[in-house]
Each structure stands twice: as C-alpha cells, then as structure tokens.
Amino acid sequence: MTVRIVTDSACDLPQKLVDELGISIVPLTFRFGDEEFVDRASLTPTEFWARCSASPVLPQTAAPAPGQFAETFQRLAKEGATAILVVTLSAELSATKQAAEQGAKEAALSIPVRIVDSRSASMGEGINVIAAARLAKSGTGIDDLVKQVTAMVDRTKVWGRSEEHTSELQSRFGISYAVFC
C-alpha cells in the first residue's frame, strides 16, 4: 500500500525535508496590500517573513482553491498512490480543510482520501505532517495512519510569542497579549 501525504504551505516545512519524505504541498495565497503572492512560488519563506517584519500590518491569506487539491490528488493517484492522507491548517484559522474536502469530491477517485485537521499552524501542523509521512513510508495503512495522526494532533501544542503586531493579533484572532498556543 502506497499512502501519500498532502498538506498546505502553512506547515512551514523546509523544502529539503518535503522532498526527502515525498510530501505534496498545496500552496496558500496571501496579500500584502494590493500585491498577491502564491506561497513558496512567487515569494520564498525568507522573503515572506522579511515582509512581515517590515510591514505595519500582517498579510491577508487565502485558502487554496479546491481544484488545486483535486489536481494534486489526481496526480498522486496516477503516480500509484493507493490512499491519500491530507493534514491541513486548523479549520479555525482557514478554509483550507474545506477546500481539501471539496477537492477530494471533485477528484472523484477510487482510492480513499482522508483529511485530518491539524488544529494548528506552522510547525504545529508541520510536525504532524512529518510524522504522517514517516509512518506512511514505513507501510502504515490509511486507517491506522489517520488514527495515529489524529492522536498526535490531540497532543500537539504550539507556543509562540510576538512583540510585533500585538494589536492586530488581538483584534483579528482574539489573542491576548500576543502570547498564544
């Protein structure tokens, strides 16, 4: 059984690790003012974070289109995937999970496509994607993979601290004092 792993670019995984583990990434888009970018394609992660540091406001993000997920699922099926596990950015932060669900319907594959909400972002999502990819490479089947990744999600906590953009974090996300988990 060849289970393939798909995630979104909010996972913040280094490209070398993505390539090594055979992870497929569907990119989010974001805007700085009137400029729109495709994550990892039209702006590198280093350039993105440099812009965030220099900008008086945080960028606006948009979930990938369902069609982007459908194309990725169809490509993986053609490459021999017998199942696909998708680990997404928290559904509380983005419509990415819903886009993946719609993309799975659009792809209309004969193989299972299972979706797990990471309930996290950045490396909180990323560490679960890494674990999923390693388990898949070791031969773990899709049902056990979903159970194990879901259990990891339940145990994953992300702590962060921001000294910049405090008021925007508070107003947009209800985060108090820019310390969040």
Side-chain angles (χ1 to χ4, degrees):
M1 178 176 262
T2 305
V3 179
R4 296 295 305 271
I5 307 300
V6 175
T7 191
D8 55 75
S9 59
C11 69
D12 289 335
L13 293 176
Q15 191 61 45
K16 182 179 177 186
L17 189 58
V18 168
D19 295 340
E20 177 185 310
L21 295 173
I23 299 164
S24 296
I25 295 183
V26 178
L28 279 78
T29 58
F30 51 90
R31 297 177 65 88
F32 283 97
D34 292 335
E35 292 180 278
E36 186 167 293
F37 300 93
V38 176
D39 197 9
R40 294 180 178 237
S42 53
L43 205 62
T44 68
T46 301
E47 293 167 330
F48 172 82
W49 289 112
R51 278 185 175 245
C52 283
S53 294
S55 177
V57 295
L58 293 172
Q60 294 180 324
T61 61
Q68 291 176 275
F69 279 105
E71 288 173 12
T72 300
F73 301 155
Q74 290 166 340
R75 176 180 54 79
L76 293 174
K78 285 180 187 170
E79 291 173 359
T82 56
I84 298 170
L85 174 65
V86 186
V87 181
T88 67
L89 173 62
S90 174
E92 293 181 25
L93 300 175
S94 170
T96 302
K97 180 177 183 271
Q98 292 84 354
E101 291 168 341
Q102 185 61 40
K105 289 177 188 171
E106 287 179 20
L109 300 175
S110 59
I111 63 171
V113 177
R114 305 284 292 277
I115 301 165
V116 174
D117 181 347
S118 74
R119 297 189 347 234
S120 193
S122 190
M123 281 306 294
E125 175 185 0
I127 59 175
N128 289 303
V129 172
I130 292 167
R134 288 183 175 152
L135 286 166
K137 278 188 171 272
S138 74
T140 303
I142 188 67
D143 292 332
D144 286 337
L145 192 55
V146 169
K147 287 177 190 171
Q148 290 184 48
V149 172
T150 300
M152 285 183 272
V153 164
D154 290 341
R155 295 187 313 266
T156 302
K157 305 288 182 236
V158 176
W159 295 88
R161 182 172 183 272
S162 174
E163 294 181 16
E164 298 179 30
H165 305 291
T166 303
S167 61
E168 187 163 359
L169 289 168
Q170 289 173 333
S171 66
R172 286 179 64 189
F173 303 111
I175 298 171
S176 62
Y177 187 64
V179 175
F180 49 95
C181 62

